[in-house]
Amino acid sequence: MRIGHDYTLTRYAIVGGGGFAVDVGLFNILRVATELNPYSAKVVSTALAVGATFLANSAWTFKVREGDPRSRATRFTKYLIVHLSAMPLPLVLLLISREALGLTSLVWDNISANLVGVVIVFSVRWVLNKNW
């Protein structure tokens, strides 16, 4: 008997990597090109990355089987709730970095919000998306 491998986590990580690139890229573009404050830039970049990853995860990671009664709107609502519930963590880390530690450069914004925050948030989102 062969034990199969569940590639769902692998696919989720690949899609997440693409979402991470969208999030970080847009965050930096918004910070540099528009001089948007870091908190607003993070919210906008994350929101757009969530939309992109929803489409990719729907098509590839958590493929909807034919006859699935759940509508795309229902699935997107759940996906959005999961992602929005995890959104405060990078914002809190950004706040601590900037306000409590005085680390206000673009590099430190990226370390706190996009590196540390995303590593932790990935695990939370995986568990919630997989089990809900």
Side-chain angles (χ1 to χ4, degrees), residues 9-27 42 45-57 60-61 79 83 114 118 122 125:
L9 178 58
T10 303
R11 289 177 179 177
Y12 186 79
I14 291 169
V15 169
F20 177 75
V22 168
D23 190 1
V24 173
L26 284 172
F27 175 79
K42 187 62 184 165
S45 67
T46 299
L48 293 174
V50 165
T53 58
F54 170 75
L55 295 174
N57 277 318
W60 189 46
T61 308
Y79 195 83
H83 282 71
N114 294 325
V118 169
F122 176 85
R125 288 178 178 166

Side-chain angles (χ1 to χ4, degrees), residues 52-96:
T53 58
F54 170 75
L55 295 174
N57 277 318
S58 289
W60 189 46
T61 308
F62 303 111
K63 238 184 248 190
V64 178
R65 292 170 180 55
E66 212 155 307
D68 189 340
R70 297 179 301 161
S71 71
R72 184 175 285 258
T74 300
R75 287 183 288 112
F76 182 69
T77 300
K78 285 184 176 183
Y79 195 83
L80 192 59
I81 289 168
V82 165
H83 282 71
L84 289 178
S85 68
M87 183 185 260
L89 182 57
L91 293 173
V92 167
L93 293 171
L94 188 59
L95 181 71
I96 291 168

